[in-house]
Amino acid sequence: MARYFIEVSYKGTNYSGFQVQKNANSVQAEVEKALFVFYKEQFELTGSSRTDAGVHALQNFFHFDSDMDIQDDSYNLNAILPGDIVIKRIYRVADNAHCRFDAKSREYRYCIFDHKDPFLQDRAYYYPYPLKMELLQQAAVEILRQHDFTSFSKRNTQVRSFHCDILESTWLTENDCLVYQVKANRFLRGMVKGLVGTMLLVGREKITLADFLNIFQSKDCRLADFSVASAGLFLNKVEY
């Protein structure tokens, strides 16, 4: 039995998320369907990072096991898949390799635009309010100093630890968008959206930087703002 990794990229607008769910379509369900059509065998996929409904990924991974000699049949599989999902490559890995637990870091980007643009509508968050970049950057720097992200994890999560090591946290301007880029060893459910939504309150001077830090100390997710749209969120990179 050999193990294989599948590298995928997708636009999440039309999906309920990355992982298979009851009564809703997902990226995993579409990939499993394409694999079954092409190989005539049902594979059980394991995902590296679970993205929520509407969230996009420039890079994400599955792994699966098979007795078949699987080649990189991405061209044929992409002909079966919907246009908003693409398999970049399929490759054999060590039998004990795990696409989720072996990942050393993950990088997310959240994109914001402040003027109406139909071409950004489903790939960024429309936020037509003045923001102070220096305050956003100060908040991003403070995130690098934090380790307990209890306040930025949505409820009903099954994780035992809220500890995350942040490797990069910064705001950028790219083309017509404001982009928050964050890299960490792991992320909690809703964490990036919670950080972005709350930092935007700092940038609008609705709360102070001290208030932002107090939210960390409170360990109360009711104080963070998770209301930003999923359309702006991208899983950008998974590193092994």
Side-chain angles (χ1 to χ4, degrees), residues 13 16 39 57 60 93 128 146 151 153 178 183-184 201 217 237:
T13 305
S16 60
Y39 292 113
N60 206 345
V93 293
Q146 304 300 319
S151 295
S153 173
L178 180 64
K183 180 179 179 180
L201 296 179
Q217 300 305 315
K237 187 184 301 182

Side-chain angles (χ1 to χ4, degrees), residues 12-27:
T13 305
N14 296 323
Y15 301 98
S16 60
F18 184 63
Q19 192 176 32
V20 165
Q21 302 176 38
K22 292 182 179 179
N23 305 317
N25 198 17
S26 67
V27 175

Side-chain angles (χ1 to χ4, degrees), residues 3 35 37-38 42 73-74 77 101 123 126 130 139 141 146 166-167 174-175 178-179 182 187 198 203 218 221 223 230:
R3 177 157 292 184
L35 290 171
V37 169
F38 186 72
Q42 191 71 53
D73 295 307
S74 53
L77 289 165
F101 299 130
R123 294 181 292 109
Y126 180 46
V141 169
Q146 304 300 319
I166 307 300
L167 307 172
E174 292 185 357
N175 300 321
L178 180 64
V179 179
V182 59
F187 287 89
T198 311
S218 73
C221 66
L223 301 180
S230 295

Side-chain angles (χ1 to χ4, degrees), residues 1-6 46-48 61-65 91-103 240:
M1 185 79 71
R3 177 157 292 184
Y4 297 88
F5 271 27
I6 306 177
T46 297
S48 68
F61 290 87
F62 291 109
H63 79 242
F64 69 96
D65 298 326
Y91 57 100
R92 186 169 178 174
V93 293
D95 293 347
N96 63 348
H98 198 290
C99 67
R100 179 182 176 191
F101 299 130
D102 288 350
Y240 293 96

Side-chain angles (χ1 to χ4, degrees), residues 62-112:
F62 291 109
H63 79 242
F64 69 96
D65 298 326
S66 177
D67 288 323
M68 299 175 62
D69 181 18
I70 302 293
Q71 303 300 315
D72 186 359
D73 295 307
S74 53
Y75 178 85
N76 295 307
L77 289 165
N78 285 327
I80 300 169
L81 284 165
D84 49 11
I85 302 174
V86 62
I87 291 177
K88 292 186 173 180
R89 56 179 175 147
I90 302 174
Y91 57 100
R92 186 169 178 174
V93 293
D95 293 347
N96 63 348
H98 198 290
C99 67
R100 179 182 176 191
F101 299 130
D102 288 350
K104 291 182 172 59
S105 67
R106 294 167 176 84
E107 180 183 279
Y108 280 88
R109 290 161 64 89
Y110 192 93
C111 303
I112 297 168

Side-chain angles (χ1 to χ4, degrees), residues 161-181:
S161 170
F162 295 91
H163 185 284
C164 302
D165 295 326
I166 307 300
L167 307 172
E168 180 181 348
S169 175
T170 189
W171 285 91
L172 312 165
T173 52
E174 292 185 357
N175 300 321
D176 292 327
C177 286
L178 180 64
V179 179
Y180 176 58
Q181 183 164 297

